[in-house]
Amino acid sequence: YFPAMGTVRSRFIPEETRSAIMNIFRIPLNVIVVIMLYYNWPTDRVFGICAALVGFATVAQHILFTSSKSGGPALTDSDDPEETVPLEAENPTT
């Protein structure tokens, strides 16, 4: 999990704003936890909601990676907006 999240962060979130963006994305997570604890739902309902959220996250990540392979948003070393080569393509490790 942690290596995958590190890869996603370094590829799609600029380093200058990475901590602020990650903290903003923690707010919905905490809201979901508070709602589930407040309503004291049965375990099967909570499991179903978690499964639905994981399914949504899987689809969203697939769309993100598909769009980045076809020239979508990915960080580059260049400030030139015409440059769309991802960082890992410029720095091969062999």
Side-chain angles (χ1 to χ4, degrees):
Y1 170 78
F2 290 109
M5 283 303 299
T7 301
V8 170
R9 285 182 193 148
S10 66
R11 184 168 180 177
F12 295 103
I13 304 174
E15 187 174 347
E16 300 82 26
T17 59
R18 188 172 299 156
S19 63
I21 291 172
M22 293 307 297
N23 284 328
I24 288 171
F25 279 113
R26 286 187 182 138
I27 293 170
L29 173 66
N30 290 330
V31 168
I32 291 169
V33 169
V34 167
I35 289 171
M36 289 192 180
L37 290 174
Y38 179 76
Y39 287 109
N40 196 20
W41 287 331
T43 305
D44 59 339
R45 179 181 283 182
V46 173
F47 182 74
I49 292 171
C50 289
L53 291 173
V54 167
F56 174 74
T58 302
V59 170
Q61 186 168 5
H62 176 72
I63 292 169
L64 181 67
F65 277 105
T66 303
S67 69
S68 70
K69 287 181 181 176
S70 63
L75 298 178
T76 62
D77 285 337
S78 173
D79 290 334
D80 183 13
E82 299 295 320
E83 181 86 29
T84 59
V85 178
L87 288 174
E88 63 272 358
E90 292 180 310
N91 300 323
T93 57
T94 54

